[in-house]
Amino acid sequence: MKRWHILLVIGLAGVASLLLATFEQLVPGQQVSFGIRLLILIQPAILTIAAVATGQALTAKLGLGAPLVDSWLTGDNPRAVLRTQVPPALAVGIAVGLLMIAYSSAILPAVADAAAVARMTAFNVPLTTRILYGGITEELLTRWGLMSFFAWALWRVTGRGQIRPVILWAAILMAAALFAAGHLPFLFAIVARPQAALILAVLLTNFIPGLLFGWLFWRRGLEAAMLSHALAHCVNALTA
């Protein structure tokens, strides 16, 4: 088994976990059939395949990677990798989880009316889906795929010299911005005409974690970003 096989399997497992989400809450009064649910999975599945392939092709050129998976495949002791990944992943995961709690308990009520808050909080995504899709698949899509592509494109544009930190920071910023913007369709599906303050709050509370997860991917590897993202959802779930 190769690295991209493992990443593809866990990424598609995250996509499959979307079947647990209650899409009926997006279309009140209508039943979403199992067939429709499967159709909904086609786009994220294709994007996940593309992201895994992109990262597999580009990360080695950029000094990015998945060191924990690689250590397992090569038979090396993963403890050394875990010692570098777990502490920063835990710190970032707890910090992002607290940000998510602050968003739902304080920021959201301050920038949206009661009806909008009720609609947004009523859409319940199971913790399993948040961990598998949010923690794993979203990191494959955003960091492994998009961030790697942006870094590679900037590297090519600047002459294929040394991979400078400014290139990776620019890629982190770009991927985080798209990660944040990717949450807007959900917002507009729940709230027909969200206020500017609400849109800004949604963007910022997803952009900031995107920066932190991108930094983890760069400095500690893909698994650190995944662990941190999944932990953030677990921390947030403590107040649910």
Side-chain angles (χ1 to χ4, degrees):
M1 181 176 289
K2 298 181 179 180
R3 178 176 62 185
W4 72 269
H5 292 142
I6 296 173
L7 297 181
L8 184 59
V9 168
I10 61 176
L12 292 179
V15 172
S17 73
L18 290 173
L19 290 171
L20 303 175
T22 52
F23 293 110
E24 289 83 359
Q25 293 177 342
L26 294 176
V27 282
Q30 298 186 30
Q31 186 68 27
V32 180
S33 67
F34 183 74
I36 296 298
R37 288 173 178 272
L38 288 177
L39 288 175
I40 292 173
L41 303 190
I42 291 177
Q43 183 182 35
I46 292 174
L47 291 175
T48 299
I49 294 170
V52 170
T54 299
Q56 181 67 20
L58 302 179
T59 49
K61 302 175 183 179
L62 303 166
L64 303 173
L68 186 60
V69 173
D70 289 343
S71 68
W72 178 69
L73 290 174
T74 57
D76 295 335
N77 189 336
R79 292 180 181 177
V81 177
L82 288 171
R83 281 196 293 267
T84 65
Q85 288 187 333
V86 172
L90 292 179
V92 170
I94 292 171
V96 173
L98 294 175
L99 175 63
M100 294 167 70
I101 292 172
Y103 167 75
S104 58
S105 62
I107 299 174
L108 183 58
V111 298
D113 56 52
V117 172
R119 287 193 296 270
M120 294 180 69
T121 56
F123 184 71
N124 180 38
V125 178
L127 182 59
T128 300
T129 303
R130 296 183 186 191
I131 291 173
L132 292 178
Y133 186 80
I136 294 176
T137 306
E138 283 189 348
E139 288 307 306
L140 285 170
L141 292 169
T142 312
R143 253 57 67 177
W144 188 254
L146 279 177
M147 179 179 152
S148 297
F149 173 76
F150 289 144
W152 173 81
L154 291 170
W155 174 62
R156 289 288 300 268
V157 169
T158 55
R160 297 191 184 188
Q162 183 180 1
I163 305 295
R164 293 173 295 164
V166 66
I167 290 176
L168 290 165
W169 273 117
I172 289 171
L173 287 165
M174 294 165 70
L178 281 181
F179 175 69
H183 290 77
L184 291 181
F186 170 76
L187 172 63
F188 282 94
I190 297 293
V191 183
R193 296 178 181 177
Q195 297 178 349
L198 176 56
I199 295 174
L200 181 61
V202 170
L203 289 174
L204 285 178
T205 52
N206 285 286
F207 178 74
I208 293 171
L211 293 179
L212 296 173
F213 299 148
W215 177 84
L216 281 173
F217 174 41
W218 171 29
R219 304 301 296 176
R220 295 294 186 268
L222 177 65
E223 302 90 353
M226 288 179 170
L227 173 60
S228 182
H229 197 155
L231 176 61
H233 286 295
C234 292
V235 171
N236 184 46
L238 295 176
T239 62

